[in-house]
Amino acid sequence: DVQLVESGGGSVQTGGSLRLSCAGSGYNFSTYCMGWFRQVPGKERDRVTGINNRGEQTYTESVKGRFTISEDKPKKTLYLQMDSLEPEDTAMYYCAAAFLLPNVVARMIAAHFPHSGQGTQVTVS
């Protein structure tokens, strides 16, 4: 079974940084899209950033220049470096994966990602 386990969340002050990690297991696909979504209570899950096996990346406008997605392919680990954090970034952050669908990176619609983790909370005050 595919498993995605996020870590690295926490509480930081405005302007601070956090690095989220997502450890993957249970799969061996070379064609994929992986990404980060976030959700606050009472709202839909929103896209943050994604990356596919071709290295193509996308970011939602509000995090451009502040967040950076990266991956360690041999370790099947996805990262999200978050700098210059703002209170509006407060949310539960989820790692998600879509296999054999690299082109979903273009729109990053949560429904296109059948696999996700349990999330890690990020609070910025």
Side-chain angles (χ1 to χ4, degrees):
D1 290 349
V2 176
Q3 286 196 325
L4 301 170
V5 180
E6 303 95 336
S7 61
S11 297
V12 296
Q13 293 187 334
T14 299
S17 298
L18 283 173
R19 189 191 194 205
L20 306 184
S21 298
C22 171
S25 63
Y27 60 89
N28 194 27
F29 295 98
S30 59
T31 305
Y32 59 84
C33 177
M34 298 190 71
W36 293 93
F37 293 82
R38 62 188 179 187
Q39 189 171 21
V40 297
K43 293 192 176 181
E44 293 185 352
R45 192 168 293 191
D46 289 334
R47 63 184 179 185
V48 178
T49 178
I51 187 169
N52 65 14
N53 56 284
R54 299 190 290 258
E56 297 166 329
Q57 300 179 13
T58 185
Y59 295 87
T60 195
E61 194 65 32
S62 64
V63 307
K64 284 182 179 178
R66 301 189 298 120
F67 290 12
T68 304
I69 191 171
S70 62
E71 61 177 340
D72 185 328
K73 290 184 179 182
K75 292 185 178 180
K76 293 183 180 177
T77 302
L78 187 71
Y79 301 100
L80 180 62
Q81 178 67 41
M82 304 187 295
D83 298 319
S84 302
L85 282 161
E86 303 168 352
E88 292 74 21
D89 296 317
T90 295
M92 184 72 79
Y93 283 71
Y94 297 91
C95 171
F99 299 112
L100 304 177
L101 296 169
N103 293 329
V104 297
V105 72
R107 298 181 66 190
M108 292 296 293
I109 297 173
H112 293 168
F113 290 75
H115 308 285
S116 66
Q118 295 300 307
T120 185
Q121 178 67 37
V122 171
T123 302
V124 185
S125 59

